[in-house]
Amino acid sequence: TISRAQKSFVPVIGNHYHLYKRKDGTYFISLVAPGEWNIEKQPNAFKRFVASLESIADNKWRVV
C-alpha cells in the first residue's frame, strides 16, 4: 500500500509524513497531518487516515 501510494513531493529521509485512503480506494502520502486539514473547506480530502510514516530510505518507510 505505501509503495503504491501517490505523493507529489520527494520525501526527505528522517521526515514524517501521513498516509491517507481516498473515497475511491486509492492511497496518498501527504505532508499534512490529520489535525491540520481544514475539513470545512475540504470535506472530501480523504476517507480515512491510515498511519504516520517516517521516510527511512529511497522509497522505504517506517510507521511511527
Side-chain angles (χ1 to χ4, degrees):
T1 299
I2 297 172
S3 63
R4 288 182 266 141
Q6 179 186 13
K7 58 188 175 299
S8 58
F9 56 88
V10 176
V12 175
I13 293 173
N15 283 4
H16 289 188
Y17 302 93
H18 310 281
L19 179 65
Y20 297 91
K21 185 175 185 178
R22 292 187 180 101
K23 291 182 180 188
D24 67 3
T26 61
Y27 291 86
F28 70 98
I29 298 173
S30 175
L31 301 166
V32 182
E36 297 175 339
W37 288 94
N38 186 337
I39 297 301
E40 290 179 12
K41 289 186 178 180
Q42 296 176 300
N44 297 316
F46 60 92
K47 180 177 179 179
R48 74 178 171 92
F49 166 70
V50 178
S52 290
L53 309 169
E54 179 182 5
S55 175
I56 58 171
D58 188 36
N59 252 352
K60 295 196 190 303
W61 302 91
R62 177 174 66 93
V63 175
V64 292

